[in-house]
Amino acid sequence: MEWGGEYSLDSSNLDCLLNILPGELEFQQILSDLDEKIKKNTSSIEQCLKDLQSEVNEIYTNEILQSTTDCLQWLNNCSFSSLRPSSTHHGELMEFLRTLQSLLKNEQNQEEMILHFLLDLSSQCGVSFPCTPSGTSFELTSSLHAIEDDSTMDVKSLWDDVRLHLRRFLVNRLQSQEETNTNALQQQREFKTQCIQQLLFLYPESEVLTKYQNMQNKLVSDLLQNCILSSCGETNFDKVVHGYQSSVPTLCTMIKEDLYILSGTIDPSSSLKFINETYLDTITEEMTVLLERLCELQFKENALHIVKANKISKKHRGTVHAVASQEYHKKGRNFCLTLYQLKCLSQLIKLFLLMEEKIDELSAEILFVPSFTEKNKNVQGVLKKASGELLIGETRANETSVLPEQLLQVEEPILLNFGWRNAFKDLSSSVAHCITIAIEDFSTKILQHEQKEEFSAAGCAMSLVNNQQMRESCRAVQQEEQPKRIAKFCSDIMEELDTLLPLALACRDDSLQEIRANFVEACSKVATAVLARLEEKSKDVPSKAPLQDLYAALSTAIYVFQHFTMYNNLMRETSKKPLFLVPVQQYQEFINVLQFQVTNYCVRVCATSILQDAESHHWDDCKAFYEGERCSFSVQMWHYFCCALHRDLWTILPPKTAQEILTDVLEQSLAILSSRYCQACPSYKRTPQIRIDIAAILMSTEDMLWSVCSSVQEFLNPHEDRDLKIYKIHSHCNSLLSVLAILTSPLKNLYETFLNNSDEQLPQDFSKVFYHPLHWLFCIPSSCSSLPKTPSAREMAAQGQLKLLLSQPYCNLNLLLETLLHHDCLLVKILLRSSRNEVLNHDEQCSLLEQINNKQPALIETIFTVLSYCTLSPKSLGIAFETYMEKEQLWNCLYNMTVSSCGELEPEVIRCLKLTLINSVKGIVKQIISLMHSWEATENYGMYQHKQIVPESLLKTVPKEWNYTPREMKRKESGKCFTRLAAQAVSIVISKLPTVIACLPPPVKYFFFLAERKMSRNFAELKKAGLLVWNLIVIICRIFEDGNTAELLTGATLDRWSKEKLSLVRVCLESIMGKQKSGPKQVTQKVIQSIEQQRPNWIESQLLKARKLSADCASLTVEGATLEEGGIALGFTEQKINMMVLDICHKPGGSEYLRQIYHIIWLNEEYLKEQLSCENFSEDGVTSSQCLPLTLMGREEQPVFNPFQVYRQSCVKVFNQSTITEWNWDWSNLLPSYLGLNQMTFRVLLAHRYSEVMKTLPYTFTCFIFSFLLEETKIYVFTSGNVLSSWILSSLLQLLPHLAMLSIAQAQ
């Protein structure tokens, strides 16, 4: 049959579809592409069946096929052994086989040529070479011809000798490939697949698989024995663990390779059976023998230990091992295992659990998931090549027809069966007993050691360890719930339990259930002992232990609670009921009690100790407090206490718990402060102190508020139902501000405010008046730069967004992404501008070289990757890099992209864009190269050409009835084949462009849309296809031009012929895009004309479709962005931000990129704040004066809390008392907001003010104030005609009793 280019089956490569969230237009394009491919494949299959139908009707005139349905039915029921044979002369056949035998014996390196020659005969002439089992009789037949039956044994012996020689050759190639193992993994896989398929051409499947299975069995056995028994000395548990640690990865690689090979050769059930028998059963057998040997050695060792223990039993009475040995000696072959041996067994079981999981993933991925890389198949006489050609191979001459009753028999599906657990059955009873003793032993020792350390260092804090590097088993816990520091003794105990955990996880069989039961029981006892120890620690605070021990006990309890919850979840797969229900409930109750205890203790300390300040709060003192230049000592100490509490919570507890405790303490302490200052009756000299105290409290609260709020929404719009505690904090602060306004404002301003607004209808109930919770924040001058312009604004200032991010106790990814997208990616623009290091000094160059050698992503690459993942914010990438591209003059680089990966001077942005485009067209390149290889193998060009140089002596002996035409002559007759191949390759590229564009991330599409708008004038030739389509085709052309890049990208091997033909495809694509400098060649014109003849104007329509798709997606992005006011991030809710973060974290390296950006922001906090705080910020006018660190350099651990350092920072950042005294309060804007104050509240505050003021003022001055207020009120009433509010008048008349008392005092 001719090369089946006209029957080519097409497919849509949607690998990149899983990496994005397609929009409506993208889905329409993808579905239309799938529909088009299905229609095309259907048409190709129908045409192939019609051609086959006509050939069958010509050959078999007695059986006429009427339709393609009859053709399919005929193929299904066809048995080649029942065909009417035509004779082939026995002499010709014997001469042909003798010639083959002579070439194999007398000539060297002829095996590969003969194999391809036989396959060519089978394909072209329909000759069916028998592949019966070795030693059985057979009949060489053909679908078109047959030979006579005389002298069959001579033919059989000759054919057996030929295929035996070929089998030895193929087996030697397989073994040599295993020994060298120097080729690339994919090339080795393809090579072995080809050898297996050629063996299946010569021998039946069962015999080939048996031979290959024996080879692999020997490899597995040798590998295990060499890894475990190669070391000198006797075998022990340690050697077994180290041996399997080195051999399991190799075994998984071998299994993966064989699954790929067998998936293209035999059916999935046979593949699973092969893996079970070859690998899993062999590993189980080797492991069983090895453990039996270890058990024998351990039993002998224990027996010797028992004899010695009996002699010196008095000295070792009560020891764990003696008791265990004596007890197990009574039972028989049971023996005692040490803790170290249990750990070794646990590590071994963990390896098998991981291996079991890996094999399951591989079998599901390779055998049951459709793969586009499925290779040639040879099943029951049919070799399927990648081009779609069917080569007729072996004939099952002895195969009988299937009986109807056999069809009704349903076989059980073959599944993976890894019985490694059976190898541990003999150890189960020993492990079950010893695991309980071991856990109790090491937990008791650790607790006793901790208690001794406590007694030796009385009064010292609990010994803590960092928990930053969470163990792999604990990574299921979210970062906001992970404790940061825990008690060392608890960490040691849980580490030992984690090591022994695989022993319990392996228990699926009944024989191993005892191990899990004993492990659960022992863990429950340990949990109870640790809980009792933590309770003792918590009771020692504060009499015997510092407050930090309370935080440590809470953090440790949370750590243990999370561990046992994780244990319970892991064992839930094999046990339906919860196994750690009691410990989990006990720890949950203890955590709740301890958290309340921490909060309550801190609040009581504030109420009874810190805020008890008789000297500072002597409000009726006639002398000013420190000349009115500082706040009260209690307020300052309260601030220091909050700072110390903030640091301790942030460094010890889980972030979420730390924020909850700090919020509770802040809210309750503010309630105490609000209550006390509302009751204060200061003298005239002490009134400034009230103002300074309240201002300092508000400033300290504002500084803490950034830490207790975990989101912008919670900070800007706290709701009473959703964020009750935050809402209460704002309420207390507003109450304090009302005290400051009524109690300390100048009399004149207070009088004028109420006088000018007395005609308004004031409400009778303050609860009906809405005051925004953030009102007090906008009255503090120091916080205005970080807040929005008004309390009702929905967007926070850039400085506030950064401050909120860095005030969190952990890297809040949602808040980080929101900060990056905030205000049109302002922070990202500063980072990009600061990362432009035009001139690097020596140290910076060394750091950059280290970064490149360590393969750490640069800042620009990290930012680009994160923003390209933000599919719900398509404009972010273009907006963030627009200014950077203009300053660096990089727009022109988009029109001359190269593919070489060794360009050190290549801009980072261009490299990232190029890699994105290369990954998007990788599927097209692989399909083109696969098409080239299949055509090359079929038509015997290129590297296959030398394999088909058949000697003339062999060609002369081919029977004439077979009508064989040598490939050299056939190639001359089919000169148009390559034109059809090139046309198909170009068609694949052009047809897949719209789908590739649909699968590109929306931010990348908008980036090219933005670039096209800026630079389209200078590149008029791009208007036809668009910049994105242009670059995609240029990338493909560059890959085809550079054969090394194509090999590196696809893993395929290209010879000189293939590279030349790929280069010709590149010329055709360049000619289509109008990029070719000279006129198109004749071959190029033929290729393009052949495409146009089959589908007129198809190329142009495809290019326009691709351009329209990219333009429509970008225009929708622009239209959607215009609806957002005030920046990109404003249009996103918390749910959308969370969706984008989840999407980024599921991408390769996404979460690490976000954390790297956060670390860089954290290292350069002051510099970024300085840049953001610049007035009239202009990117053109502001230059970076500081070189931004680009590497992830770890900062040292924060030192112990230093009150003097906090004092210095507080004086500068939080509340500078000298600055507070000089604040120019805008009373005209502040006081009107309290016109709706509750009557009772206003009266009480006013009475507190005037009751003390009047006592300190002279009598004559008091009379003057009263008469002045009274006269002004009368004038206002008579002139305006309005009635003064009764409650204001009553408040003024309250001065009369004080005036009378002063008059009496003056008279006396």
Side-chain angles (χ1 to χ4, degrees), residues 24 30 56 88 220 229 494 741 753 800 809 811 1058 1128 1160 1190:
E24 184 178 356
I30 293 169
V56 172
T88 298
V220 174
L229 303 178
M494 299 311 298
T753 299
C811 176
S1058 299
I1128 295 177
I1160 293 175
L1190 300 180

Side-chain angles (χ1 to χ4, degrees), residues 738-965:
S738 65
V739 174
L740 182 145
I742 303 301
L743 210 59
T744 68
S745 61
L747 294 174
K748 182 179 179 182
N749 296 95
L750 182 63
Y751 168 73
E752 290 178 352
T753 299
F754 284 90
L755 188 65
N756 295 334
N757 296 277
S758 61
D759 56 337
E760 299 179 2
Q761 295 296 326
L762 299 178
Q764 298 298 320
D765 188 5
F766 175 69
S767 61
K768 297 181 180 179
V769 181
F770 174 76
Y771 287 98
H772 197 279
L774 270 65
H775 168 71
W776 66 276
L777 276 174
F778 292 86
C779 299
I780 305 177
S782 63
S783 62
C784 293
S785 60
S786 301
L787 295 172
K789 296 180 180 179
T790 61
S792 59
R794 294 188 301 158
E795 184 182 13
M796 183 176 288
Q799 297 94 323
Q801 192 82 32
L802 178 62
K803 187 175 182 179
L804 183 63
L805 170 66
L806 298 178
S807 299
Q808 301 301 304
Y810 71 109
C811 176
N812 191 329
L813 299 183
N814 288 19
L815 197 55
L816 172 62
L817 182 61
E818 188 175 358
T819 304
L820 295 177
L821 301 179
H822 184 268
H823 205 274
D824 289 339
C825 305
L826 178 58
L827 186 62
V828 175
K829 294 177 183 178
I830 296 176
L831 291 173
L832 292 175
R833 185 182 67 242
S834 303
S835 64
R836 293 188 293 117
N837 300 325
E838 298 177 358
V839 180
L840 299 177
N841 55 36
H842 177 72
D843 295 337
E844 292 168 349
Q845 290 177 356
C846 295
S847 176
L848 186 60
L849 290 176
E850 291 178 359
Q851 178 180 336
I852 295 174
N853 295 332
N854 295 333
K855 297 182 180 180
Q856 293 181 353
L859 176 61
I860 296 178
E861 178 185 355
T862 304
I863 294 175
F864 179 91
T865 305
V866 169
L867 294 182
S868 65
Y869 288 162
C870 297
T871 55
L872 297 180
S873 179
K875 287 185 62 179
S876 57
L877 181 64
I879 291 177
F881 280 89
E882 182 178 3
T883 305
Y884 177 81
M885 296 285 289
E886 291 175 355
K887 286 188 175 182
E888 297 295 325
Q889 299 180 357
L890 297 178
W891 292 117
N892 293 337
C893 297
L894 295 177
Y895 300 92
N896 192 22
M897 280 192 178
T898 59
V899 185
S900 68
S901 58
C902 56
E904 296 183 0
L905 300 178
E906 186 179 29
E908 197 72 24
V909 183
I910 304 301
R911 189 180 69 86
C912 294
L913 285 170
K914 182 186 68 176
L915 290 177
T916 303
L917 298 185
I918 289 176
N919 290 330
S920 66
V921 301
K922 187 184 297 185
I924 297 179
V925 176
K926 286 183 178 180
Q927 188 170 354
I928 297 299
I929 292 178
S930 177
L931 176 68
M932 199 72 64
H933 279 171
S934 64
W935 186 86
E936 185 180 9
T938 305
E939 296 299 319
N940 298 286
Y941 280 97
M943 64 180 180
Y944 292 90
Q945 187 171 355
H946 71 281
K947 301 176 183 178
Q948 284 297 320
I949 303 178
V950 183
E952 189 68 25
S953 59
L954 181 59
L955 291 176
K956 291 181 180 179
T957 61
V958 176
K960 296 181 180 179
E961 289 82 357
W962 294 356
N963 295 326
Y964 175 70
T965 303

Side-chain angles (χ1 to χ4, degrees), residues 19 811 813 816 820 855-859 861-869 1140-1158 1192:
N19 296 328
C811 176
L813 299 183
L816 172 62
L820 295 177
K855 297 182 180 180
Q856 293 181 353
L859 176 61
E861 178 185 355
T862 304
I863 294 175
F864 179 91
T865 305
V866 169
L867 294 182
S868 65
Y869 288 162
M1140 283 195 289
V1141 170
L1142 290 176
D1143 191 28
I1144 292 173
C1145 292
H1146 282 90
K1147 300 294 179 57
S1151 59
E1152 295 301 325
Y1153 287 147
L1154 286 173
R1155 287 185 172 87
Q1156 181 181 353
I1157 295 174
Y1158 175 82
L1192 292 175

Side-chain angles (χ1 to χ4, degrees), residues 118 215 217 241 417 499 616 718 773 788 849 1048 1193:
L118 293 177
M215 292 173 51
N217 264 330
V241 172
N417 183 19
T499 306
S616 301
L849 290 176
L1048 184 64
M1193 298 180 296

Side-chain angles (χ1 to χ4, degrees), residues 1023-1025 1099-1109:
K1023 293 182 179 179
K1024 177 181 179 181
I1099 297 178
E1100 184 176 359
S1101 64
Q1102 283 294 111
L1103 295 178
L1104 291 177
K1105 182 193 296 185
R1107 174 178 174 80
K1108 184 177 183 299
L1109 186 63

